[in-house]
Amino acid sequence: MKVLKFGGSSVASSENIHKVISIVKESSYKNKVAVVVSALGGVTDLLLEAGSLACESNNVYINKFKEIESRHINVIRELIPVSNQSSVLGEVKKVLNKLENTLEGVFLINELSNKTSDKIVSFGELLSSFIIAKAMKYNGLDSTLKNSQELIVTNETFSNASVKFSKTNAAIEKYFNQNKHTIVVLPGFVAKTEKGEVATLGRGGSDYTAAIIAAALNASILEIWTDVSGMYTSNPKFVKQAFPIKNISYQEAMELSHFGAKVLYPPTIQPVLEKEIPICIKNTFDAKADGTLITKVSSNTNPIKGISHIENMTLITLEGSGMIGIPGFSKRLFESLAHHQINVALITQASSEHSICIAISNQDAEKAKKAIDTTFSYEIEQRKVEPLTVEKDNAIIALVGDNMKSHQGISGKMFSTLGKNNVNIRAIAQGASEKNISAVIAHKDIKKALNTLHSEFFENQTKQLNLFIVGVGNVGGKLLAQIQQQQQYLLDNLKLQVRVIALTNSKKMLFNEDGIELENWKILLDKGEPLDMDLFHEKVTKLNYRNSIFVDNTANEKVSSLYDSYLKESVAVVTCNKIACSSNYTNYLNLKRLSREYNAPFLFETNVGAGLPIIDTLKNLVASGDKVTKIQAVLSGSLNFVFNNFNEKNSFYEIVNEAGVQGYTEPDPRIDLSGIDVMRKILILARESGTKLELSDIENNSFLPEISLKSASVDDFLATLKTEANHFNKIQQNAANNKCRLKYVAEFDDGKAKVGLQEISSNHPFYNLDGSDNIVLFFTERYSQQPLIIKGAGAGADVTASGLFADIIRIGNN
């Protein structure tokens, strides 16, 4: 004998019921089959709503009833052959008339007891089982219908009745011993008391019905058919990488079910557990999928079988010095909650006995607070106990597995993984059996926590990086091209899955929670929504992805002012925008502090040398205990390009214009030529070496004439480069006469910094610096005679993008 149970989604429509009939037909070739069915999907909710509305004397209950009536009549017309429809419709309408009369009675007396509610909701399973049994018969199956109310006997605790197993098992055995049909269809959820009154088995009662029948008949297997292919390693709605668990033990299944895995109702397991009857969770819509087999002992060697969660929880803390050493506090607390039928999902108590913390459903929070305040009113008044602490908007996450106790370090791994992703843990509970480790976290962190833990315990240690990129001009466009080119390499070799979740240009922004297709990003961005940086931040925060990275490819001050808000949300910041790190020293320190406090990397390597590892080298020198005494550098690739190419054959204007075309200067070349860009760079290096310095402290010996410095616009500035050609030619000629080359040099020495154009002689390391290259000389206590030299390309979209990409990968590797 096999017992098959089909849930509401499996019988929600005539199309789905045809699938059910095919599954039952195949199962019945070699076995007798008991088929337990739920109400048509959504009908139980409609019945409850109709009853509630009728109790409130609200005529809308009639509309709900008509919707229920329509659902069943439509299914009959689509499912039953035309020649047989009239008789089936006639029987169903008789049942619907009884339902209508019951609802009308509730409407008239304005009262809805649990007993009457049970009677109303029982109609769902009674109707579905009748229709499905008839459909099987008319499809040629040897089937019959048996009302479970005639078999399952309960007490009188309506809406959640307890089964009287001796009478129930006897009735089931007697009926099936006499039954000659291959297939018996039974309504789930419903039962009757010893007095013959309608009762129900509570939430998930159809599963329970199937388990009761399977246990009574010593069935070979109990199959639970639903809309997913088994119990998953985590909720696939939150964790896309979750996968079905092939084999799991009864105890593990109960733990996962308790902690929110809704494919199985926890009490279902008990009757079959005692008989060691295997349970298989199967998918009605993918019948060939293996599903999950639940047995006494699991063959699965992974100590962690699944990660589950319960949403919408409230954390309540009872604490006070008057609790220490006084027996009875826990008893009184839990008695007060039990008296008001409040279920406790998690309990933790400090070993000092100073506090007891519990987690309950949000919907019970107010009721629980009133109950506990009343119980401990004297202690609160005497200040022996503090006023109750009630914290809503929490959730419980749990690691589940029978063999966790045999593997050291699992709890440490769980908590460190959450901590690295800035998921704060409010409370912890772990039983001595170590079958589950539970933690209370903020409700907003559910998705991040589940994905983080799933990656740590079930995936091949692939780390997902989620990028939110602002600015897709020269640098941003090159960065996207590099990411697209290297995505597969990073996945295969570094186990990094890099996803671009959001993009912006100056007008539009685009979000895709699953990652933007980089092949078509320009087309997709053109169709995006209007740019709103506040809304952009709100969306990033709401998504709350693990390993989120905000990438700033702009030179925009407003964008740089948002860094602190991202760091506070544990979103890493990678930027080539120098404004933040060269702003006032207090802001610079604050960003560094926030980065440490919220475990959110703040990387800005490209602020100084594009793709050159200048800042990283400086950090390593400082971290190793070395002390920087002096820095000499050519830090402007654009200015180096300009003065390397400026000679008697080319005008200064032409060279500056060409630098812009080549992408070496900022869109506003005044930033480069005025020296402000180099000032920012040397300021950042001075600060990173440990010196407190402001931009205004840096001496700027500008080579530009006064008229150029005072120009009101970019066009006006460029015009002065033509009118003041003699000024620039004279500078170039003087250097040539002295057999020197012009370099714009930044210096930091003895706590002071300056920038300016210098004539460099042939014996200096700067003399042969070609193209747009940068060079930095670090003089330190260890490198006192010969400086540590870093030299290479210091400007251009490609190398800047590669520097940003390197920072992103650095975050992924840490």
Side-chain angles (χ1 to χ4, degrees), residues 10-22 37 40 70-86 88-89 92 127-140 185:
S10 298
V11 296
S13 65
S14 58
E15 181 183 356
N16 293 359
I17 294 170
H18 276 302
K19 290 183 172 65
V20 168
I21 293 171
S22 295
V37 295
L40 304 186
S70 175
R71 282 283 306 278
H72 290 90
I73 289 173
N74 288 340
V75 166
I76 291 168
R77 286 176 175 160
E78 293 167 359
L79 198 63
I80 305 297
V82 175
S83 58
N84 303 110
Q85 279 183 13
S86 59
V88 176
L89 285 169
V92 165
L127 286 164
S128 67
S129 59
F130 174 77
I131 294 168
I132 291 166
K134 290 295 183 183
M136 287 184 182
K137 182 178 180 180
Y138 295 135
N139 273 272
V185 179

Side-chain angles (χ1 to χ4, degrees), residues 552-595:
D552 179 12
N553 300 316
T554 74
N556 187 290
E557 185 173 359
K558 183 179 178 182
V559 175
S560 71
S561 69
L562 299 172
Y563 295 171
D564 62 340
S565 62
Y566 283 100
L567 293 171
K568 287 175 183 176
E569 297 292 340
S570 297
V571 175
V573 174
V574 170
T575 179
C576 60
N577 187 341
K578 307 171 190 70
I579 294 175
C581 287
S582 60
S583 62
N584 66 75
Y585 188 70
T586 303
N587 184 54
Y588 163 80
L589 283 185
N590 184 52
L591 293 175
K592 303 279 279 188
R593 178 188 63 80
L594 291 173
S595 173

Side-chain angles (χ1 to χ4, degrees), residues 759-784:
E759 294 182 356
I760 302 298
S761 60
S762 60
N763 62 349
H764 196 283
F766 292 173
Y767 184 83
N768 291 315
L769 192 65
D770 294 323
S772 61
D773 284 1
N774 282 3
I775 187 169
V776 178
L777 278 58
F778 285 121
F779 294 86
T780 72
E781 290 178 348
R782 294 174 189 161
Y783 293 91
S784 57

Side-chain angles (χ1 to χ4, degrees), residues 227-499:
D227 54 4
V228 292
S229 299
M231 300 187 82
Y232 277 65
T233 48
S234 192
N235 189 331
K237 292 180 181 177
F238 291 92
V239 182
K240 295 189 182 300
Q241 290 77 27
F243 54 88
I245 308 166
K246 286 189 176 181
N247 186 210
I248 195 171
S249 73
Y250 293 122
Q251 295 294 334
E252 290 166 335
M254 282 195 286
E255 291 284 355
L256 283 174
S257 299
H258 174 71
F259 283 101
K262 300 185 184 301
V263 295
L264 188 67
Y265 181 51
T268 298
I269 299 173
Q270 196 58 46
V272 292
L273 182 151
E274 293 174 1
K275 297 285 186 76
E276 296 185 14
I277 297 169
I279 304 172
C280 193
I281 312 295
K282 300 277 284 180
N283 189 345
T284 304
F285 309 101
D286 186 9
K288 292 184 179 180
D290 291 336
T292 298
L293 183 65
I294 305 171
T295 53
K296 183 179 180 181
V297 179
S298 169
S299 60
N300 189 336
T301 57
N302 190 338
I304 309 297
K305 298 304 189 300
I307 306 163
S308 198
H309 75 285
I310 309 175
E311 299 181 29
N312 303 311
M313 302 301 293
T314 293
L315 204 58
I316 292 181
T317 305
L318 181 69
E319 62 181 332
S321 57
M323 296 170 59
I324 300 172
I326 307 297
F329 267 91
S330 299
K331 176 177 180 292
R332 291 168 62 198
L333 171 64
F334 296 118
E335 277 184 346
S336 67
L337 295 171
H339 180 70
H340 290 84
Q341 296 184 322
I342 297 169
N343 185 50
V344 178
L346 178 144
I347 305 164
T348 181
Q349 181 174 8
S351 58
S352 65
E353 301 182 42
H354 180 262
S355 67
I356 303 172
C357 185
I358 60 170
I360 62 172
S361 173
N362 281 351
Q363 66 186 25
D364 291 330
E366 295 303 320
K367 184 166 58 170
K369 185 179 186 312
K370 288 179 182 177
I372 298 170
D373 281 344
T374 300
T375 300
F376 295 98
S377 58
Y378 174 77
E379 286 84 356
I380 293 171
E381 185 179 340
Q382 296 296 313
R383 297 188 178 180
K384 293 180 178 181
V385 171
E386 299 293 328
L388 206 62
T389 303
V390 179
E391 301 169 81
K392 291 187 176 181
D393 298 321
N394 289 296
I396 299 174
I397 54 170
L399 289 187
V400 172
D402 274 347
N403 296 321
M404 290 196 298
K405 60 187 175 184
S406 304
H407 292 75
Q408 291 77 27
I410 288 178
S411 58
K413 195 175 183 181
M414 174 185 180
F415 301 136
S416 65
T417 299
L418 293 174
K420 286 176 185 176
N421 283 272
N422 208 47
V423 176
N424 189 38
I425 297 171
R426 298 288 297 109
I428 298 166
Q430 180 176 7
S433 65
E434 296 186 49
K435 293 185 187 297
N436 87 64
I437 306 169
S438 307
V440 179
I441 63 170
H443 195 273
K444 68 180 180 67
D445 287 332
I446 290 173
K447 189 171 184 178
K448 182 192 286 188
L450 291 176
N451 277 277
T452 297
L453 292 173
H454 195 274
S455 174
E456 186 68 31
F457 288 103
F458 290 105
E459 298 169 33
N460 190 21
Q461 295 306 303
T462 298
K463 190 173 186 179
Q464 189 180 87
L465 303 180
N466 297 293
L467 309 186
F468 301 86
I469 298 177
V470 175
V472 289
N474 284 340
V475 173
K478 295 292 185 183
L479 175 61
L480 290 172
Q482 291 174 16
I483 292 171
Q484 182 183 349
Q485 176 186 319
Q486 292 299 104
Q487 270 180 322
Q488 193 60 47
Y489 174 86
L490 293 174
L491 187 61
D492 293 341
N493 294 276
L494 299 183
K495 303 301 180 187
L496 294 178
Q497 182 187 26
V498 181
R499 305 191 310 168

